[in-house]
Amino acid sequence: TNKNKIKVQKKNYRQEKKRVAKELLSALKDPSVVIMSNWLKIRGSLKSWTKLWCILKPGILLIYKTPGSDHWVGTILLNACKLIERPSKKDGFCFKLYHPLEKSIWAMKGPKGESVGSITQPLPSNYLIFRAASESDGRCWMDALELALSCFSLSKMTAKSGRDGDLSSSSESSHILQLNDSMLENHMENDANSDKSEREAHEDSDNAANENGGRLTEESDMDQSDDVCLQATAFVEEAHEEIGEVGEASQVETVSEENKGLIWTLLKQLRPGMDLSKVVLPTFILEPRSFLDKLSDYYYHADLLSQAVMEESPYCRMKQVLRWYLSGFYKKPKGLKKPYNPILGEMFRCCWLHPQTDSCTFYIAEQVSHHPPVSAFYISNRKDGFCISGSILAKSKFYGNSLSAILDGKARLLFLTRDEEYIISMPYAHCKGILYGTMTLELGGKITIECEKTQCYTELEFKLKPFLGSSCNVNQISGKIRIGEDILATVDGHWDSTVHLTEKRTGQQEVLWNPGPDIRRQRLKRQVVQIDQQEAFESERLWQHVTRAIKDKDQMRATQEKFVLEEAQRQEARERAERPWNPRLFSFNTDTNEWHYKYPEYVHNSTLRLLLIIIHKLYRKIMCFKAKLTNSIIFIDVYGFFIIIIIIGNTLQ
């Protein structure tokens, strides 16, 4: 009867799902099931090449940073991929794995359940371009990939024929899966030899490039060729971090008689109201790091944003966002210092590891315009569910005895799982006492943090010290948090010490922020790229000679090194003439007048992401109670449902 047929079909359906899942898990975990493994160069989203260890198994390609299995980068699902040879002008052999419908080719998790891969160059989502050392190696990899795809298809054919009772065809199909071990050993030997020679050639080219100490000259590669060959990025913990003292003492600069003469010479070129973006400043007032580096000061307490995502009420999330916002100000240099104006095309990258959530917050910034000076930045922690993007137009105004550095721009903080966006503005820096009095740096202006979805807003005012004010009036702030027109709380205190929050309804007061010794010990450790692994236009390498001279207190040499960089930039601008500059990492949206990162690392559909997180939590609960389920068929059905949901999520991503 039809009823019996449906029962049989359902039974076969459940058995087939169970068999496929079992085979896939077995192939992932069994170290002996390997078709081929060796080093391959993979082109990242930034069009630079990274050498990674690739392990080919039936139906999947595992990618690691090292030959061991400790540094998993990602897993490619080959069943949805197409393979094609790709022409290249470089040495070696290129081929491309891609999804014909431009969907994701990546699995959600690694072979050991990893949800976050090792840090490396960002890789495309719907394709990968590989480069083998020689044509013979490349042909070998293409044959092996075709075989891996065949293995996946033949396993289905074998199972189908077995169910139909055709045991002979099943036996024949299984023989096709067997590999010639001696042939693979020969190919592995060739791969190792060619890899060694290529690595030696790469090291020779690196040594030649570093003979000039990484200095940017007119002969440097200003265009930053897309075919630059890079090893996987290695981040190391920052060795030293300078944090200024609390209060006014660290914001006062005593100018020597020699430097006063330089200031007077500079002031003769200025007039009140003049924009200082085109004025060359003396090196003694420079902080030895780039402005792109300074913008990263806001993320040493990015774990506060991880906590904010988990808060249930909009008011509590806003309080946590405000707490994070205030955490970015207390790190300040000793004295009155200004960071380097970034060179056009300069970039800076770093990250922070979160021990509590086992996640990582990535930061990358680029100078996308020189006149006017615009810095674009992007921050992402996909696992904890937040990202930040924005751009800053730095403007300076001279008023006679004072000047202001205005940061014109907004940052957009997005909570991915809640689909909430917080628009954040910045205060300005005010320096007074240039002609007479003590040179002092303060923060001033009104800022806002706005969430349109929840109608929750924060208004905060950074107050300048009054003319007759005391030390208690330094670095004062005050503000309020409201939902709609209702004020929920008021905020007051000092941005570099204690900030109190008072509930409007109950009158209860709490410490919102206090960067004391305990808080400072909780700062996340910043991970940076070693200078010898940085590209020519990365901030630390670009400014290394100026920085070294400033730290050696050799102002003459610092000025000369700074002039070399500025003159190289002017020469490049003359050669570019009327051609517009195309930033490497960011693109300008003419509709919104905003800069957007070209390679976002998060799922744009936040609703889908929230659904997948809920489903994942339910799945984990079901796994915990697996032993208590009396009907194993029900468990298999639920397991299959989750597998389908994960595949849909991969495709949409």
Side-chain angles (χ1 to χ4, degrees):
T1 63
N2 289 337
K3 190 174 182 180
N4 291 333
K5 287 182 179 179
I6 291 174
K7 283 185 178 180
V8 173
Q9 289 174 355
K10 286 184 177 180
K11 182 179 179 181
N12 293 337
Y13 164 72
R14 289 190 289 267
Q15 289 177 347
E16 178 66 10
K17 284 197 304 181
K18 188 175 180 180
R19 184 194 64 80
V20 171
K22 185 177 179 181
E23 287 185 359
L24 183 60
L25 290 173
S26 175
L28 280 170
K29 295 180 179 179
D30 191 349
S32 63
V33 183
V34 175
I35 297 177
M36 190 171 183
S37 61
N38 211 329
W39 292 102
L40 280 175
K41 289 183 178 177
I42 302 177
R43 199 174 82 161
S45 302
L46 305 181
K47 297 184 179 180
S48 57
W49 294 88
T50 304
K51 187 177 287 187
L52 297 170
W53 182 258
C54 300
I55 300 177
L56 183 60
K57 290 172 173 277
I60 57 173
L61 178 65
L62 300 171
I63 301 176
Y64 294 90
K65 287 181 70 173
T66 59
S69 58
D70 297 331
H71 301 287
W72 172 77
V73 174
T75 301
I76 297 176
L77 301 174
L78 297 177
N79 62 316
C81 292
K82 296 294 183 183
L83 180 65
I84 189 172
E85 181 182 343
R86 189 176 186 274
S88 175
K89 294 183 288 186
K90 295 284 185 178
D91 294 336
F93 182 90
C94 282
F95 57 92
K96 181 177 182 179
L97 273 175
Y98 66 99
H99 194 294
L101 299 180
E102 297 186 353
K103 303 297 183 181
S104 176
I105 61 175
W106 296 95
M108 290 284 284
K109 290 190 175 182
K112 296 181 180 178
E114 303 98 331
S115 57
V116 179
S118 295
I119 301 171
T120 183
Q121 294 285 333
L123 299 174
S125 62
N126 58 346
Y127 71 91
L128 278 185
I129 298 174
F130 299 84
R131 183 189 297 279
S134 63
E135 183 174 355
S136 61
D137 298 341
R139 295 289 181 192
C140 178
W141 270 103
M142 287 193 70
D143 292 342
L145 284 164
E146 292 286 359
L147 181 60
L149 292 168
S150 301
C151 289
F152 192 81
S153 302
L154 286 170
S155 63
K156 296 179 181 178
M157 294 171 58
T158 303
K160 186 177 186 300
S161 61
R163 287 196 305 271
D164 295 340
D166 189 358
L167 299 179
S168 61
S169 64
S170 173
S171 176
E172 291 174 3
S173 298
S174 64
H175 283 299
I176 302 177
L177 304 182
Q178 296 179 359
L179 301 178
N180 188 325
D181 293 337
S182 61
M183 179 183 71
L184 284 180
E185 286 175 5
N186 292 335
H187 281 306
M188 294 285 279
E189 267 185 33
N190 293 336
D191 281 351
N193 294 334
S194 58
D195 178 64
K196 181 179 178 182
S197 61
E198 184 172 0
R199 183 168 63 251
E200 289 172 352
H202 180 67
E203 289 173 356
D204 291 342
S205 63
D206 281 349
N207 293 335
N210 290 328
E211 283 180 357
N212 199 28
R215 185 192 305 270
L216 176 66
T217 63
E218 295 179 13
E219 291 79 15
S220 298
D221 186 9
M222 304 292 284
D223 293 330
Q224 300 181 2
S225 171
D226 289 344
D227 290 328
V228 175
C229 187
L230 292 177
Q231 297 291 326
T233 303
F235 286 84
V236 296
E237 187 175 315
E238 192 174 29
H240 174 70
E241 182 187 2
E242 180 183 352
I243 301 178
E245 301 174 3
V246 176
E248 189 178 11
S250 63
Q251 299 164 225
V252 175
E253 180 79 12
T254 302
V255 184
S256 65
E257 292 299 325
E258 177 186 358
N259 291 333
K260 282 182 180 179
L262 293 174
I263 291 179
W264 277 108
T265 303
L266 177 64
L267 292 178
K268 291 177 183 178
Q269 309 172 32
L270 307 180
R271 60 183 183 276
M274 182 177 178
D275 186 359
L276 304 182
S277 61
K278 296 183 180 181
V279 177
V280 179
L281 298 176
T283 55
F284 75 88
I285 67 169
L286 293 179
E287 181 183 0
R289 61 172 177 158
S290 173
F291 179 67
L292 301 181
D293 183 350
K294 189 175 182 66
L295 287 176
S296 71
D297 287 352
Y298 290 90
Y299 308 102
Y300 284 88
H301 293 281
D303 53 332
L304 296 175
L305 292 178
S306 303
Q307 299 168 20
V309 176
M310 306 304 295
E311 295 287 349
E312 292 300 326
S313 72
Y315 170 61
C316 290
R317 289 196 293 275
M318 178 59 80
K319 280 204 307 183
Q320 199 71 356
V321 169
L322 178 56
R323 187 176 283 117
W324 160 77
Y325 182 80
L326 293 171
S327 72
F329 293 104
Y330 73 89
K331 178 183 177 179
K332 47 188 177 180
K334 181 175 176 56
L336 195 155
K337 301 295 181 184
K338 176 189 175 301
Y340 307 139
N341 289 331
I343 300 293
L344 183 63
E346 178 184 336
M347 59 173 276
F348 180 80
R349 52 182 169 152
C350 61
C351 65
W352 294 263
L353 302 179
H354 296 235
Q356 294 182 342
T357 59
D358 191 27
S359 64
C360 186
T361 295
F362 294 92
Y363 170 92
I364 191 162
E366 181 184 11
Q367 190 70 7
V368 294
S369 173
H370 188 60
H371 291 304
V374 179
S375 306
F377 52 88
Y378 181 81
I379 300 91
S380 174
N381 187 326
R382 181 176 176 177
K383 183 177 181 181
D384 289 356
F386 67 86
C387 69
I388 304 171
S389 61
S391 60
I392 296 292
L393 169 59
K395 299 187 292 186
S396 301
K397 294 291 185 180
F398 176 63
Y399 302 111
N401 191 44
S402 64
L403 60 86
S404 294
I406 303 167
L407 303 181
D408 186 9
K410 296 184 182 296
R412 295 182 179 272
L413 165 63
L414 179 63
F415 288 158
L416 301 173
T417 56
R418 299 185 180 276
D419 199 20
E420 290 180 359
E421 186 177 62
Y422 295 77
I423 302 176
I424 305 168
S425 58
M426 299 288 294
Y428 65 86
H430 185 75
C431 174
K432 60 184 179 182
I434 297 176
L435 297 177
Y436 55 88
T438 305
M439 289 184 67
T440 308
L441 182 66
E442 299 178 88
L443 296 181
K446 295 181 179 180
I447 68 99
T448 57
I449 304 175
E450 305 174 352
C451 180
E452 184 177 357
K453 182 178 179 180
T454 63
Q455 294 295 301
C456 197
Y457 305 95
T458 292
E459 298 172 358
L460 204 62
E461 182 180 5
F462 289 76
K463 299 179 179 180
L464 300 178
K465 179 182 176 182
F467 182 72
L468 298 177
S470 64
S471 58
C472 297
N473 302 118
V474 177
N475 301 337
Q476 277 190 322
I477 59 171
S478 64
K480 55 190 175 183
I481 301 176
R482 59 184 176 87
I483 291 184
E485 297 299 325
D486 298 330
I487 298 176
L488 302 183
T490 58
V491 177
D492 65 273
H494 299 80
W495 54 259
D496 64 339
S497 57
T498 306
V499 179
H500 293 95
L501 181 140
T502 305
E503 301 282 352
K504 193 72 174 177
R505 183 177 299 176
T506 63
Q508 183 178 357
Q509 189 179 75
E510 64 175 287
V511 176
L512 178 68
W513 178 248
N514 182 16
D518 292 339
I519 292 294
R520 298 189 180 209
R521 281 193 293 269
Q522 295 172 15
R523 286 171 68 85
L524 301 178
K525 302 297 183 182
R526 190 170 77 165
Q527 312 290 315
V528 296
V529 184
Q530 291 181 325
I531 193 169
D532 58 342
Q533 295 186 20
Q534 293 181 13
E535 298 182 28
F537 268 73
E538 291 198 58
S539 297
E540 187 180 3
R541 180 175 175 182
L542 184 67
W543 293 94
Q544 61 178 317
H545 301 291
V546 181
T547 301
R548 191 176 297 117
I550 290 176
K551 290 182 176 180
D552 293 341
K553 298 182 179 180
D554 188 342
Q555 300 300 333
M556 184 67 71
R557 180 159 57 93
T559 303
Q560 292 172 350
E561 297 291 355
K562 183 169 174 282
F563 175 77
V564 170
L565 293 176
E566 293 168 345
E567 188 58 31
Q569 183 174 220
R570 295 187 192 101
Q571 178 63 26
E572 193 275 335
R574 286 191 291 267
E575 293 174 356
R576 193 171 68 250
E578 299 299 324
R579 288 185 291 110
W581 172 262
N582 293 318
R584 181 178 177 185
L585 305 174
F586 294 84
S587 59
F588 186 71
N589 188 321
T590 55
D591 295 331
T592 61
N593 288 328
E594 293 179 345
W595 290 91
H596 296 283
Y597 185 52
K598 293 180 181 179
Y599 314 101
E601 301 171 354
Y602 59 89
V603 180
H604 291 278
N605 192 331
S606 303
T607 306
L608 171 65
R609 180 170 173 80
L610 177 60
L611 175 64
L612 292 178
I613 289 174
I614 294 171
I615 289 173
H616 178 63
K617 290 181 179 179
L618 290 173
Y619 170 65
R620 291 180 63 182
K621 288 184 179 180
I622 290 174
M623 291 293 289
C624 292
F625 291 100
K626 175 183 175 183
K628 298 180 181 180
L629 293 176
T630 56
N631 191 343
S632 60
I633 294 178
I634 294 176
F635 172 76
I636 295 171
D637 273 340
V638 173
Y639 177 78
F641 168 71
F642 286 119
I643 292 295
I644 292 170
I645 290 295
I646 290 171
I647 292 172
I648 292 172
N650 274 337
T651 305
L652 290 175
Q653 181 182 352

